[in-house]
Amino acid sequence: MTTPSDSAHSSDTALRSIPEATVLFAGDSGDGMQLTGSQFTLASAHARNDLATLPDYPAEIRAPAGTTYGVSGFQLHFGTVDINTPGDKVDLLVAMNAAALKVHLPRVRRGGTVLLNTDAFTPRDLELADWEDADPLNDDTLEGYHVIDVALTTLTREALSDTDLSKKQVDRSKNMFALGMTLWMYSRPLEPARSWIREKFGDRPAIREANLTVLEKGAHYAETIEAIGVRYEVDPASMKPGTYRTVRGAEAVALGLVAAAAQSGLSVFYGSYPITPASDILHEISKHKNFGVATFQAEDEIAAVGSAIGASFGGALGVCGTSGPGVALKTEAIGLGVMTELPLVVVNMQRGGPSTGLPTKPEQSDLLQAVYGRNGEAPLPVLAPASPGDCFYMAYEACRIATTYMTPVMLLADGYLGNGSEAWRIPDVDTLPPFEVEQTTTPTDANMTTDGDGNPQFLPYVRNSDTLARPWAVPGTPELEHRLGGLEKEHKTGNVSYDPANHERMVKLRAEKVQRVTQTIPPTPVTGPRTGSLLVLGWGSTKGAIDEAVRRCREQDTAVSAAHLRYVWPLPADLAAIIDGFDRVLVPELNNGQLIRLLRDAYKADFVPLNKIQGRPFRAEEICAAINEATNEATGTPAVAS
């Protein structure tokens, strides 16, 4: 493993090997914490650790400096063991100011390390951070923690005292000093950060050299001070052979759409209006236009979905990305996609609501909107990735289902997955599910009739006997001229129809078509025995915390199994049998109980809700506690400590 100085370290610093660690960088929104965390993540990937991250942005573009509202954080959990979550308790908190300490100290485990920028703890800083009469540097606030006091701002200014940079430019480099220190403390390689700095600031040599200098100074400073006490090593994780990269969920969605274009032979059109936290999908996919992807930044949400529907009508695969408020605006157009039966993928990177709510915080509160949130009977399939890397596969799968069944599909990710990252094994293209698209190009006896004058007429609503999908004929194809619109269609002909019996027939056909999606989805996996006293059933981004919680509880001899839904609607065909195998079903959700409403409507079982609506993902320990409580209530035995 590469280290800042091969094998040298302070004689006063012990070297300890640990299986995993959780680090949290926090500071003002202008302190570069997301960049610092990203570079620490990159170094951990180079060290071949498994990892998971949790970026935590302030909602305001620029909240008042030094206030708790402006704190930006980046949490990283890395290790030689399997990593499922960004970590429950923090081992090292790097607090760049008093507000960061105020917000995040409760997340640090007792005995954990707190690295403080003491230059940002002046009386004014404490006042802005609402410390009231407390003085955390001198009172008992930090009792029980290992505290490393570092004058980061002063040291950075000293390191760059001979440059021509402005004071503002110098002070903005202090995050590199903190990065250098923490990389040394955890035996992370410096070279990935060096390479990034050289590339990022290649055309600004003064900034480039300043950041390189401060990075090195931070590592060397950590090597020489006694306050650190212990330096850690985290061995590489045991992973399946392959090529890995860190990937954020938003990047993975974009790459999944690119893969769908390549595998299907279709052009993919991505129409989007900027909205947090979905904007990064547009940023990423726009880099890959050489793969048959077209991007369009629309003037509003309605234009974005309208352009995507138009692209699908024209023979491309239309996709649009947004968050909950944008889905609300797209509702009528999505219903048009249901009525016209065109393939359309709507990516919803969920965030806290209602209205603009918590723009930068994750929530799973759009599930009922996805399933029911349109006028009339307008069902569509709903998919939900389980991890940042899984966003690739489920974006690909959403495209496959949309084209196979000629229907809009909604992909429900959230801000936790979209902004978070993990070590992702780049898939072999040959292992991706087959993606065959059939567009109608010639008239046949099955899809043609004659009108009242004996002229040939294309039938745009005849259906595939297996999928019930209607034919996809590209405008301009000779003899396949047809019209589409939002008024009810006559069976087969597609003519506007107000006939009551026809309307009922078409409504039921569209609903049955969506239900038939269950025929081509994989079986629902179950971790642990398929029968027992307790099943933990989740969907979407709760998977990592559920898996970790179930693992811990099973190690304590608690009888519990887990199942997870990535195909959320229609509910999988095998789910009834799985639920029937258990006495109780615990349902953790980042909402006020939306999946559990669908489950209670479909099945008779003892469902136990576990709801969290705090703009933060579940911690494994929270689910462990709920498992123990549910088990205790069912058996009357004492709960096991999580």
Side-chain angles (χ1 to χ4, degrees), residues 93-271:
L93 168 63
V94 179
M96 301 295 283
N97 62 12
L101 182 66
K102 180 68 177 292
V103 171
H104 291 299
L105 183 60
R107 298 171 69 175
V108 183
R109 64 173 175 83
R110 300 299 292 182
T113 301
V114 180
L115 192 159
L116 301 174
N117 176 19
T118 54
D119 289 325
F121 282 78
T122 67
R124 177 58 177 161
D125 293 319
L126 296 175
E127 179 184 353
L128 287 169
D130 297 325
W131 275 103
E132 298 176 346
D133 296 328
D135 182 4
L137 296 186
N138 299 300
D139 59 22
D140 61 356
T141 299
L142 294 169
E143 186 176 340
Y145 300 97
H146 176 209
V147 181
I148 304 174
D149 293 333
V150 183
L152 282 172
T153 306
T154 299
L155 290 168
T156 301
R157 291 174 181 174
E158 291 176 355
L160 301 178
S161 60
D162 59 349
T163 69
D164 295 328
L165 299 179
S166 67
K167 180 182 176 182
K168 181 178 181 180
Q169 289 174 317
V170 169
D171 288 351
R172 289 184 65 181
S173 302
K174 64 181 179 290
N175 64 325
M176 288 295 105
F177 200 104
L179 177 62
M181 287 191 68
T182 52
L183 289 174
W184 188 88
M185 291 168 64
Y186 284 95
S187 305
R188 311 283 87 186
L190 285 182
E191 188 52 41
R194 291 191 191 108
S195 298
W196 180 85
I197 291 169
R198 294 187 189 107
E199 181 179 354
K200 177 70 174 178
F201 302 109
D203 58 348
R204 288 180 283 176
I207 300 292
R208 180 190 66 221
E209 295 307 315
N211 280 280
L212 288 171
T213 296
V214 174
L215 179 71
E216 301 283 351
K217 290 286 186 181
H220 293 155
Y221 182 78
E223 187 177 358
T224 58
I225 63 172
E226 296 181 1
I228 288 179
V230 179
R231 187 186 187 198
Y232 300 101
E233 281 190 338
V234 181
D235 291 334
S238 243
M239 293 177 159
K240 293 180 180 179
T243 302
Y244 286 80
R245 58 162 288 186
T246 57
V247 70
R248 293 186 301 123
E251 294 175 314
V253 168
L255 294 175
L257 298 175
V258 171
Q263 293 294 92
S264 66
L266 292 172
S267 295
V268 167
F269 175 92
Y270 187 82

Side-chain angles (χ1 to χ4, degrees), residues 1-25:
M1 185 183 301
T2 306
T3 61
S5 54
D6 294 337
S7 60
H9 61 276
S10 169
S11 58
D12 296 319
T13 303
L15 186 63
R16 181 183 304 166
S17 180
I18 55 175
E20 59 187 308
T22 300
V23 176
L24 172 57
F25 298 94

Side-chain angles (χ1 to χ4, degrees), residues 5 78 83 172 329 396 488 519 526 534 557-558 575 641:
S5 54
F78 60 98
I83 301 297
R172 289 184 65 181
L329 291 166
Y396 181 93
E488 182 60 278
Q519 298 174 352
V526 177
L534 183 65
D557 295 326
T558 300
L575 187 57

